[in-house]
Amino acid sequence: MKIGEKYAARNASNDDNMVPLINVVFLMLVFFMVAGQIQKADPIAVVPPQSVNETRATTDPNIEIVLGADNSLYVDDALFVVDDIQAYLEKSFDSSSDPEAFWVQIKADGAISLEKLRPIFNQVRLAGLTKVSLATQLERGSE
């Protein structure tokens, strides 16, 4: 049997037609892995206040407190009232495997006044936690 006859005898239902499709799907996968950013979404829409500080946290917070413009309060994606935050923080801190690296991040809408944030900071202080950060967005200069 000649080599040409061998290839001519192939039937049309072979998987050769799948190779271009596999290539396209693979390229799309690589594109979305590089271009996309996978990040957990907040339970409510929050536009943090602006800041000129470019320092960003290198690790994810142990506890994330989100306060929306409509005064809705979420702690680790669960709806909370302010008075319950201290007990939750104490319980989470006590069960933490690394208390030295334990920290809390507060994401508050930029429209929230400091007076509305004060009770939340007070609950964190009463829980005995000292590593707390307020999430901000970088202020873009006018050019």
Side-chain angles (χ1 to χ4, degrees):
M1 174 183 269
K2 292 182 181 176
I3 294 175
E5 292 174 7
K6 178 180 174 185
Y7 289 110
R10 292 172 121 178
N11 63 15
S13 67
N14 237 348
D15 289 337
D16 287 343
N17 295 336
M18 292 297 290
V19 173
L21 179 64
I22 292 171
N23 289 341
V24 169
V25 170
F26 178 72
L27 286 173
M28 288 174 58
L29 175 69
V30 170
F31 171 77
F32 286 116
M33 285 175 52
V34 172
Q37 190 176 32
I38 300 172
Q39 186 175 6
K40 185 183 81 160
D42 293 329
I44 52 176
V46 173
V47 180
Q50 293 186 344
S51 172
V52 293
N53 187 2
E54 293 185 23
T55 305
R56 297 287 178 231
T58 57
T59 60
D60 289 335
N62 299 82
I63 304 287
E64 185 176 67
I65 300 173
V66 180
L67 181 63
D70 60 350
N71 292 330
S72 55
L73 177 66
Y74 289 84
V75 179
D76 287 341
D77 296 335
L79 190 59
F80 263 71
V81 293
V82 175
D83 296 334
D84 295 340
I85 294 176
Q86 178 185 354
Y88 182 80
L89 292 175
E90 289 172 348
K91 182 179 135 195
S92 298
F93 181 74
D94 290 340
S95 65
S96 174
S97 60
D98 188 8
E100 289 297 318
F102 191 90
W103 67 286
V104 176
Q105 183 178 48
I106 299 174
K107 284 186 179 179
D109 197 273
I112 299 278
S113 69
L114 183 60
E115 291 305 315
K116 290 182 182 178
L117 279 174
R118 195 174 307 256
I120 296 171
F121 280 109
N122 191 36
Q123 291 290 311
V124 173
R125 183 183 54 81
L126 290 173
L129 301 177
T130 57
K131 294 182 181 178
V132 182
S133 72
L134 181 64
T136 59
Q137 63 181 340
L138 187 60
E139 183 177 350
R140 304 287 180 207
S142 58
E143 297 175 14

